[in-house]
Amino acid sequence: MAYALQQLINGLTLGAVYGLIAIGYTMVYGIIGMINFAHGDIFMVSAFIAVTAFTLLAAFDITSLPLALTAVLITAIFFTSAYGWAVERMAYRPLRGSTRLAPLISAIGMSIFLQNMVQLTQGARVKPIPPVIEGGIELWRTADFTVQVSWTQIMIVLVTVVLMVAFTWLITQTAFGRQQRACEQDSTMTALLGINVDRTISATFMLGAALAAVAGVMVTVYYGVVDFFIGFVAGIKAFTAAVLGGIGSLPGAMLGGLIIGLIEAFWAAYLSPEYKDVATFAILILVLMFRPSGLLGRPEVEKV
Amino acid sequence: MSATLLSVENLTMRFGGLTAIDDLSVSVPAGKITAIIGPNGAGKTTFFNCLTGFYKPTVGSVRLAHPKKGEMRLETMTGHRVARDAQVVRTFQNIRLFPKMTVLENLIVAQHNFLQEASRFSIAGIFRLSGYRKAESEALKTAAHWLERLGLTDIADVAAGDLPYGTQRRIEIARALCVDPVLLCLDEPAAGLNPRESAELNTLLLSLCREEGIAILLIEHDMSVVMNVSDHICVLNYGRKIAEGTPEEIRNDPQVIKAYLGEDDEETASGEKAA
């Protein structure tokens, strides 16, 4: 029982991270109908930016934790959004209006490019950072097992919840969100009402990248290590989460992320850690076979 | 005739070997209703597409004498600029509302540029600064005004896609009006309307033109609408202008009658002999 509770906590943490990344997939799919396969690598880039920022802060001897975390978050969000913007501008916008397959292939190319760029400039070895946040709370101690929730886990879940609430508000209540939903439902008509569709699409990519940046910073703090390949696996899992929740659906991406995180944690704990990725991708295949529209992917669901 | 708002000169649009519009020159007067009629495939919708930045004309110019901003060349403008800068707005033959948004939201989206300006790169919008709140309440007021005028107030909060066809047509017009157009281009606004609804449409179009001073360019097959509201009619056939004039003149124009009834020359000649 205690062991299961611990897995629940771990799963929720992981799920929060997947959910944040999945939003980027689902938003881009909603607005231009393509899967941005480079999104996982955008997440990886943000983790490297976080490592760089943490190292720099340590070099300048800034040790105040809230200050350092905020600075790293802002830096990562800023630069990662710039990456998101640039990727769209260079790899996808020139292909708008061509076949559906062209930007997809371009996305895969972009993904390989980003991985190799980071590998060449940062090296292929795993980059560690010293632990940023230490300690946690002991929730429950039984004879043979102690349930622990670390401060990092609490932070990840809290930040994710706050971001998701803010994000839902942004999409449903603000002028920007309205414009975005309009583009998603009929981009031609939106342009004919005088709205700059290209700019809306750029903003969508930047927002998706910003959320991935938050995920990247938190993963860096959580695991303490990054390498150039983390974007691939995390990206594909987040994509699975988006498909599971119903691609194009914002609440679906959050729900899908949570479910994938929980399944991964429990599978690793009770069945076999080696096969946890198999479980995730088996879900992807099953969803595509039996419920291609995903859990919340019904037409009346509000899409981004 | 009043001042010219839109003057189209020598417009030609070719798609490969097909000439959809052939050396068309038309002028649209300010503050009047101009109808474009013609048989199916005459190039009417292509003409609209050339005006609103959908197609880039092969040859020719489209000049708009904007009352505040001076002359603008519509054929060089793309996408959102036609609506944002030139304030030329169109509707579609097949309705294109945002089906999952409410009627009110559809009307607010159309005022996005106005709100965007007030929101200063979304900053003021997100933090709800007073300037933005004021703009927002003005946008709501504009929306409420058109909802009232088109009899949509009761259904403002219903998702647009759930409403009947005739109502959706009116929402589409209301949304276009929220862009604050100097020229409103309506592509078959009476299609699919019942006789009562199309009579209401007549009243609406006339009042928009007479009271609000909005110039209207209309593509329509329903002659009860065309003949009753138009100040000026231009008839197209095979991409060329075959006649232009008042409803009375058009009704009696032999070229127009020929184009619509599809008589060929010999039959007409023998018919005349028999008479």
Side-chain angles (χ1 to χ4, degrees), chain A residues 76-188:
Chain A
I77 287 173
F78 179 82
F79 285 106
T80 313
S81 303
Y83 267 95
W85 178 84
V87 164
E88 192 273 335
R89 191 72 190 77
M90 292 190 294
Y92 309 145
R93 192 182 292 183
L95 295 170
R96 207 164 294 149
S98 70
T99 62
R100 259 175 100 83
L101 210 53
L104 206 67
I105 293 166
S106 181
I108 293 171
M110 213 16 140
S111 160
I112 296 170
F113 170 78
L114 288 174
Q115 270 179 37
N116 282 279
M117 184 188 77
V118 171
Q119 186 187 0
L120 283 173
T121 55
Q122 303 291 319
R125 262 184 297 165
V126 169
K127 291 240 178 299
I129 57 161
V132 180
I133 307 171
E134 283 169 322
I137 311 171
E138 263 184 31
L139 279 186
W140 189 16
R141 187 193 288 270
T142 57
D144 52 354
F145 193 81
T146 309
V147 182
Q148 272 192 329
V149 47
S150 70
W151 294 118
T152 311
Q153 286 177 319
I154 293 173
M155 178 195 76
I156 290 178
V157 172
L158 273 183
V159 167
T160 305
V161 169
V162 168
L163 271 182
M164 289 192 174
V165 170
F167 201 72
T168 308
W169 175 80
L170 183 78
I171 293 300
T172 55
Q173 304 295 322
T174 65
F176 171 77
R178 213 158 31 227
Q179 160 194 19
Q180 179 143 35
R181 282 179 288 143
C183 286
E184 184 261 313
Q185 292 177 32
D186 187 340
S187 60
T188 311

Side-chain angles (χ1 to χ4, degrees), chain B residues 104-122:
Chain B
L104 180 64
E105 274 187 306
N106 266 280
L107 267 59
I108 299 287
V109 167
Q111 301 178 67
H112 181 81
N113 283 313
F114 170 68
L115 286 172
Q116 185 72 31
E117 216 168 281
S119 88
R120 306 189 193 288
F121 304 104
S122 298

